[in-house]
Amino acid sequence: MSDFFSNLDRRWIFLVMGLSIAIPMLMGVVFPEEPSQEVLDVFNAVEDLEDGSNILMAYDYDPASKGELEPMAAAFVRHCAEKKHKLYFITLWPAAIPMLQKNIGILNREYPEYTYGEHYVNLGFRPGNEGVIKVVVTDLKKLYSNDVAGTDLNELPMTVNVKNIQGMDLIVNVSAGTPGTKEWVQYAATPFDIKMVAGVTGVGYTPLVPYVPDQLAGVLGAIKAAAEYEEAVLQNYPELRTNPATQEGLRRMGPQLVAHMLIITLIIIGNIIFFMDRKRGVA
Amino acid sequence: MKRTVPLVIAAVTGVILIASYFIPYAQSWGEEAMIWFDILAAIAFVLGGGNLLKMHLQKISNRRAGWGFSVVTISAFLITLSIGLSKMGVNPAENFPEWSWSGDYLQEGGGFKWMYDYIYLPLASTMFSLLAFFIASAAFRAFRAKNAEAMILLGTAFIVLFGRTYAGIYVSQPIIDVLASITGSEVESLMSLRLDRLTSTITNVFTLAGNRAITIGIALGIVSLSLKVLMGVDRSYLGSEE
């Protein structure tokens, strides 16, 4: 038995992992989620704002991290739309422009009362990484004289009087790396005292924890936090439950649970073999 | 001259940016410098493209190992660039219908958007999702409790792996209920032992402490490196002398 596992072809492990993700995904297995205090801090930062507040939606992620970050990005959009906030979409990543378009598509489909230029605007991408933040925080129109469609920002009702992003009531940043949350905290939120929340990948979460709660009101880490955030939104806005798209993060937790259990099982089997081999004097 | 001018530009810009942070009068100088930086960043895309072509064409020309991959890279680069620049399949923007090139290059139905949706997006997602398979294989072959440190790491990994899913609550809640009934204490007072709460404790206490130390160390390193760059002591960013 020990020899069988010791010489196991890694492709069998790949197959089992593939099945452990595919089967719960195809079966639509959903487990209950309980919003943690960390997630509720982020939720309350959006919820406690007055209806119609100005929010900068800085979405800095690309297709590689779409699976992990898209559910929380969508949940932020829906939550803000329920609160009728005014949304300013912006990105520092060239590959994120379609991600902005996809999230704006949620407003077009599910919130027809949201009008472009009055309730939301797509500022798109500008090159320069944190350099962009340093400029827009003092003078937005120096870099963004027009929106993504080429419309002059002075012609749009919601941007005509915006001098810089210091007037934002909240920055919501969904980030997969650099430039991302750290740069928004360092160059915008902290020096100009703008409230900020973020949603990041699992590996990006722990380096941001020291910024909470003074420089960041809260951080969502990976798909687990996205699912909890969705649950918090659904508990407060139960009418959204009829829309299956509002539970994308919750659905992705099914495959995650099975995959985690498989990894734990593999570690245990690997260690049993290790101790058996050591006992036999092989290891 | 070739090295002195960039050194002077870096030093002057650095001093302006520092001054703009501390002196309100100089704030507009810093803004001006950042505009220049953003313009240069846009030009850097062109330089990056040129450099990519140069490196891979050299590799193909010298028939170095893996030159076939360079052919694929250059072909993909040129095809993407030509479809993007020509705005293939893109309709004029609503605001400027008389200008055929005024449409957004990422417009729905356009060639570039098609490439993004059906080539770049699935490839990038696939590369990232491969991690799950390699982690599973590594967990089986490499994660061994060889000594006390490895055992602590394993224990932490188990708590986090359970705690980051509903399994954490499912497994530990009944144990907490039993513990509460045995000890006669309130369930709420033992909730900090639930695996999802333990995961939060690990993140918010142990990991946080380590991260703070690393962050402070990095910040001190950045300060010292920045000073060396501003004073011209560190010139590594200029490349080699050749």
Side-chain angles (χ1 to χ4, degrees), chain B residues 6 14 33 39 51 55 57 61 76 78 117 124 140 152 155 157 206 233 241:
Chain B
I39 293 167
N51 196 42
M55 301 298 287
L57 283 173
S61 166
L78 293 176
D117 285 342
F140 181 62
I152 292 169
F206 301 106
V233 178
E241 293 281 358

Short mmCIF file of all heavy atoms in Angstrom, two decimals, chain B residues 6 14 33 39 51 55 57 61 76 78 117 124 140 152 155 157 206 233 241:
data_model
loop_
_atom_site.label_atom_id
_atom_site.label_comp_id
_atom_site.label_asym_id
_atom_site.label_seq_id
_atom_site.Cartn_x
_atom_site.Cartn_y
_atom_site.Cartn_z
N PRO B 6 20.64 61.64 -17.22
CA PRO B 6 19.59 60.90 -16.48
C PRO B 6 19.75 61.02 -14.96
O PRO B 6 18.76 61.13 -14.24
CB PRO B 6 19.79 59.45 -16.92
CG PRO B 6 20.50 59.52 -18.21
CD PRO B 6 21.35 60.75 -18.17
N GLY B 14 13.33 63.88 -8.00
CA GLY B 14 13.17 63.33 -6.65
C GLY B 14 13.08 64.43 -5.61
O GLY B 14 12.20 64.41 -4.74
N ALA B 33 5.50 67.31 -12.21
CA ALA B 33 6.45 66.19 -12.38
C ALA B 33 5.69 64.89 -12.62
O ALA B 33 6.10 64.06 -13.44
CB ALA B 33 7.34 66.07 -11.15
N ILE B 39 3.21 60.82 -18.82
CA ILE B 39 3.45 60.89 -20.28
C ILE B 39 4.57 59.90 -20.64
O ILE B 39 4.46 59.14 -21.61
CB ILE B 39 3.83 62.32 -20.70
CG1 ILE B 39 2.63 63.26 -20.50
CG2 ILE B 39 4.31 62.36 -22.15
CD1 ILE B 39 2.95 64.73 -20.59
N ASN B 51 11.46 46.86 -27.62
CA ASN B 51 12.42 45.98 -26.95
C ASN B 51 12.04 44.51 -27.10
O ASN B 51 12.89 43.66 -27.35
CB ASN B 51 12.50 46.37 -25.47
CG ASN B 51 13.72 45.79 -24.81
OD1 ASN B 51 14.80 45.80 -25.40
ND2 ASN B 51 13.56 45.25 -23.63
N MET B 55 14.51 41.77 -28.86
CA MET B 55 15.00 40.59 -28.14
C MET B 55 14.62 39.29 -28.87
O MET B 55 15.45 38.40 -29.06
CB MET B 55 14.43 40.53 -26.72
CG MET B 55 14.77 41.71 -25.84
SD MET B 55 16.52 41.91 -25.57
CE MET B 55 16.85 40.57 -24.46
N LEU B 57 13.56 38.91 -32.06
CA LEU B 57 14.10 38.80 -33.42
C LEU B 57 15.56 38.34 -33.36
O LEU B 57 16.00 37.54 -34.18
CB LEU B 57 13.99 40.14 -34.16
CG LEU B 57 12.58 40.48 -34.67
CD1 LEU B 57 12.51 41.90 -35.22
CD2 LEU B 57 12.14 39.48 -35.74
N SER B 61 16.96 35.04 -35.06
CA SER B 61 18.07 35.19 -36.00
C SER B 61 19.25 34.28 -35.63
O SER B 61 19.88 33.68 -36.51
CB SER B 61 18.50 36.66 -36.01
OG SER B 61 19.72 36.81 -36.64
N ALA B 76 1.95 36.72 -32.20
CA ALA B 76 0.83 37.13 -31.35
C ALA B 76 0.86 38.64 -31.11
O ALA B 76 -0.17 39.31 -31.18
CB ALA B 76 0.90 36.39 -30.02
N LEU B 78 2.26 41.03 -33.03
CA LEU B 78 1.95 41.82 -34.24
C LEU B 78 0.47 41.71 -34.62
O LEU B 78 -0.15 42.70 -35.01
CB LEU B 78 2.84 41.38 -35.40
CG LEU B 78 4.34 41.70 -35.22
CD1 LEU B 78 5.15 41.15 -36.39
CD2 LEU B 78 4.57 43.21 -35.09
N ASP B 117 -11.80 38.29 -25.25
CA ASP B 117 -12.78 37.37 -24.65
C ASP B 117 -12.46 35.90 -24.91
O ASP B 117 -12.69 35.06 -24.05
CB ASP B 117 -14.19 37.68 -25.18
CG ASP B 117 -14.77 38.93 -24.56
OD1 ASP B 117 -14.26 39.36 -23.53
OD2 ASP B 117 -15.71 39.50 -25.15
N ALA B 124 -5.37 33.26 -19.69
CA ALA B 124 -4.93 33.81 -18.40
C ALA B 124 -5.60 33.07 -17.25
O ALA B 124 -4.95 32.73 -16.25
CB ALA B 124 -5.24 35.30 -18.34
N PHE B 140 0.79 16.58 -1.40
CA PHE B 140 0.96 15.13 -1.25
C PHE B 140 2.43 14.75 -1.11
O PHE B 140 2.79 13.89 -0.33
CB PHE B 140 0.33 14.43 -2.46
CG PHE B 140 0.43 12.95 -2.41
CD1 PHE B 140 -0.18 12.21 -1.40
CD2 PHE B 140 1.14 12.25 -3.38
CE1 PHE B 140 -0.09 10.84 -1.36
CE2 PHE B 140 1.23 10.88 -3.35
CZ PHE B 140 0.61 10.17 -2.33
N ILE B 152 4.15 22.65 13.32
CA ILE B 152 3.39 23.89 13.60
C ILE B 152 2.78 24.42 12.30
O ILE B 152 1.62 24.82 12.24
CB ILE B 152 4.30 24.95 14.27
CG1 ILE B 152 4.71 24.49 15.67
CG2 ILE B 152 3.61 26.31 14.34
CD1 ILE B 152 5.82 25.33 16.30
N GLY B 155 -0.14 22.25 11.31
CA GLY B 155 -1.30 22.53 12.16
C GLY B 155 -1.99 23.81 11.73
O GLY B 155 -3.23 23.86 11.60
N ALA B 157 -1.81 25.20 8.78
CA ALA B 157 -2.41 24.97 7.45
C ALA B 157 -3.76 24.28 7.57
O ALA B 157 -4.72 24.66 6.89
CB ALA B 157 -1.46 24.14 6.60
N PHE B 206 -0.96 36.78 14.61
CA PHE B 206 0.38 36.28 14.27
C PHE B 206 0.87 36.82 12.92
O PHE B 206 1.97 37.36 12.80
CB PHE B 206 0.38 34.75 14.27
CG PHE B 206 -0.02 34.17 15.60
CD1 PHE B 206 -1.27 33.60 15.78
CD2 PHE B 206 0.84 34.23 16.68
CE1 PHE B 206 -1.65 33.08 17.01
CE2 PHE B 206 0.48 33.71 17.92
CZ PHE B 206 -0.78 33.14 18.08
N VAL B 233 24.43 57.75 -5.72
CA VAL B 233 25.31 56.67 -5.24
C VAL B 233 24.92 55.35 -5.89
O VAL B 233 25.76 54.59 -6.36
CB VAL B 233 25.22 56.55 -3.69
CG1 VAL B 233 26.08 55.40 -3.19
CG2 VAL B 233 25.63 57.86 -3.04
N GLU B 241 27.28 49.80 -18.11
CA GLU B 241 28.04 50.82 -18.83
C GLU B 241 28.08 50.53 -20.33
O GLU B 241 28.27 51.42 -21.14
CB GLU B 241 29.48 50.86 -18.28
CG GLU B 241 29.60 51.37 -16.85
CD GLU B 241 29.53 52.87 -16.73
OE1 GLU B 241 29.44 53.54 -17.77
OE2 GLU B 241 29.56 53.37 -15.59
#
